[in-house]
Amino acid sequence: MPTVRYLPAGQVVRVEPGISVLDAALDAGIGLYHTCGGNASCSTCRVIVREGQAQLSVMEAVEAQVLDAFDLRPPYRLACQALVLGGDIVVEIPGRERAPRPNKTPPLPEGAV
Ligand code: FES
């Protein structure tokens, strides 16, 4: 079973292959911002991949576009889009001077999709 180690605290989480780096963190109670709810539109879930880049899913165009909008390049990844394929991974949750703005987008009406 692969593991993800989250720096700087160093928590190690055993994960099922196919889970996102974000979901693995949240399942383990590790705080990781995810303002857009994991929809690849806010970049607040950004992490720096320190080890195991090849053990993550290939970056899709939507993720690359979001990172590019914030002038971020690999080793940055969006934790909500990077899926653990196998092997062990080390990611760093970058520090922030302040919390990101809250998502002020109103929720969709019931039944709308
Ligand atoms: S949670 Fe918003 S981009 Fe990942």
Side-chain angles (χ1 to χ4, degrees), residues 22 34-45 78 80:
L22 173 63
H34 53 288
T35 303
C36 75
N39 292 306
S41 60
C42 70
S43 93
T44 59
C45 67
L78 296 180
C80 68

Side-chain angles (χ1 to χ4, degrees), residues 10-104:
Q11 302 106 315
V12 177
V13 180
R14 289 189 183 282
V15 300
E16 291 291 333
I19 193 171
S20 72
V21 173
L22 173 63
D23 285 342
L26 298 180
D27 287 352
I30 296 170
L32 186 49
Y33 289 118
H34 53 288
T35 303
C36 75
N39 292 306
S41 60
C42 70
S43 93
T44 59
C45 67
R46 69 185 70 158
V47 294
I48 305 166
V49 180
R50 295 298 186 197
E51 293 177 28
Q53 180 73 42
Q55 308 299 332
L56 293 171
S57 58
V58 174
M59 187 182 298
E60 302 285 343
V62 65
E63 180 183 1
Q65 288 172 344
V66 172
L67 289 174
D68 188 56
F70 291 90
D71 281 332
L72 300 173
R73 308 276 180 277
Y76 278 93
R77 293 290 307 263
L78 296 180
C80 68
Q81 301 301 301
L83 306 181
V84 180
L85 301 179
D88 297 335
I89 296 158
V90 179
V91 298
E92 178 180 344
I93 301 171
R96 296 183 188 278
E97 293 182 7
R98 60 188 172 101
R101 290 170 297 172
N103 185 348
K104 296 187 176 175

